[in-house]
Amino acid sequence: RLKKLFVREQKLQQQQQNFLLAITHELKSPLASVKLYIQTILKRDLDKEQQQVFLTNSLKDIERLDDLVENVLITTKLESRNYNLPKEKFNLTELVEQIVDRLQKNACRTQVLKPKLDADIMLYADKFAISNVVTNLIENAIKYSPPCANVVVKLTNEPQGIIFSVADHGIGISDAEKKLIFNKFYRVGSEATRKTKGTGLGLYIVKTVLQKHNASIKVKDNTPSGSIFEVTFDKNAK
């Protein structure tokens, strides 16, 4: 029994170490990029169009940093026993639209994100936490998809509740890993062979926030490949 506890503790320490390395890498990368863009603008005599491109790219990197900091911030809040999610009624359709618009990859000629959203769906929830859930699920789908592959984002009002889903045609998730992906710091694949960036916090946040809203999430296989993450909110939640 002691050996089992020791092994589990060691595994958690290793995961935390991987997380710290990952978060440091993820913070450094966009910071270095923004620094380079600004240095280039200051050093070189760029025309207005080039400046616009550099500033737009810098803004994207800053938004990426913002998402990372929000993930760490919300994880800290969720782990505090005294923290209550401040709930309000807001337009979920508008929130999803804004996030889709921000995450849309301008570099691709074909549209990456395909939103299919019912108009004016209202939700009583913590807006900051739910926007974090939506961002994490869409970012994950883009990250694990081939370049410029379509990701379908749906929001519908069904008899069983408000359904929000994100479907990708990425690498997919094995049945064994489906049980583990919502664990804190867990990331698909092995540390040595993994190509995608990430901290392993995204899906942990998604699961924890949804639990605090009495909402559920399930992972299904997409055809011919990929995954569908489907969230069900109680439309009568007060």
Side-chain angles (χ1 to χ4, degrees):
R1 182 167 165 75
L2 266 174
K3 191 186 173 191
K4 213 174 178 181
L5 280 171
F6 177 70
V7 169
R8 209 170 79 184
E9 190 59 36
Q10 253 191 334
K11 201 174 175 189
L12 191 67
Q13 274 187 328
Q14 186 60 53
Q15 284 180 322
Q16 283 177 325
Q17 202 177 349
N18 287 345
F19 163 71
L20 286 172
L21 285 169
I23 197 91
T24 308
H25 176 74
E26 291 243 342
L27 289 168
K28 278 187 85 165
S29 180
L31 277 171
S33 177
V34 171
K35 189 178 175 182
L36 188 64
Y37 282 130
I38 292 172
Q39 282 173 337
T40 310
I41 290 169
L42 290 173
K43 277 182 194 166
R44 288 169 55 189
D45 189 18
L46 303 174
D47 61 38
K48 189 108 167 68
E49 207 174 315
Q50 282 178 308
Q51 281 192 22
Q52 283 293 108
V53 170
F54 280 21
L55 290 169
T56 304
N57 289 343
S58 298
L59 198 56
K60 273 191 203 171
D61 281 320
I62 289 165
E63 282 169 351
R64 172 89 197 108
L65 283 169
D66 206 22
D67 284 343
L68 280 167
V69 172
E70 277 188 6
N71 270 355
V72 177
L73 184 68
I74 202 162
T75 305
T76 314
K77 283 181 175 179
L78 290 170
E79 296 195 335
S80 156
R81 283 185 187 154
N82 311 325
Y83 181 68
N84 290 318
L85 297 176
K87 294 178 181 175
E88 59 179 302
K89 197 167 189 177
F90 62 91
N91 190 319
L92 182 58
T93 306
E94 280 179 9
L95 183 78
V96 175
E97 270 172 356
Q98 284 163 8
I99 293 167
V100 164
D101 191 49
R102 183 166 70 78
L103 295 177
Q104 188 70 264
K105 290 281 185 285
N106 300 336
C108 293
R109 283 191 206 106
T110 55
Q111 191 184 33
V112 172
L113 298 175
K114 292 194 177 269
K116 297 177 180 180
L117 317 174
D118 282 2
D120 296 323
I121 290 181
M122 303 302 289
L123 185 69
Y124 182 74
D126 178 341
K127 195 174 179 181
F128 172 68
I130 296 302
S131 74
N132 205 287
V133 165
V134 172
T135 302
N136 276 318
L137 287 177
I138 298 174
E139 274 200 328
N140 252 17
I142 295 169
K143 191 162 66 179
Y144 288 98
S145 292
C148 297
N150 287 332
V151 171
V152 178
V153 180
K154 278 187 191 172
L155 182 65
T156 56
N157 211 333
E158 306 290 344
Q160 68 269 36
I162 294 163
I163 311 281
F164 170 72
S165 71
V166 181
D168 66 65
H169 290 293
I171 53 174
I173 301 160
S174 70
D175 289 343
E177 289 197 297
K178 281 190 183 93
K179 297 180 184 75
L180 302 168
I181 53 172
F182 294 103
N183 293 351
K184 192 178 180 187
F185 304 136
Y186 186 82
R187 297 184 60 216
V188 170
S190 76
E191 212 62 40
T193 59
R194 194 180 292 115
K195 290 184 182 72
T196 53
K197 297 183 290 181
T199 57
L201 279 183
L203 289 178
Y204 164 75
I205 291 167
V206 167
K207 180 80 172 175
T208 313
V209 166
L210 292 176
Q211 277 173 342
K212 287 182 182 283
H213 283 87
N214 295 322
S216 64
I217 184 163
K218 58 184 173 192
V219 191
K220 301 189 285 193
D221 291 330
N222 202 0
T223 48
S225 67
S227 309
I228 303 168
F229 283 79
E230 188 178 275
V231 177
T232 306
F233 294 101
D234 178 359
K235 58 172 86 177
N236 302 313
K238 290 280 186 292

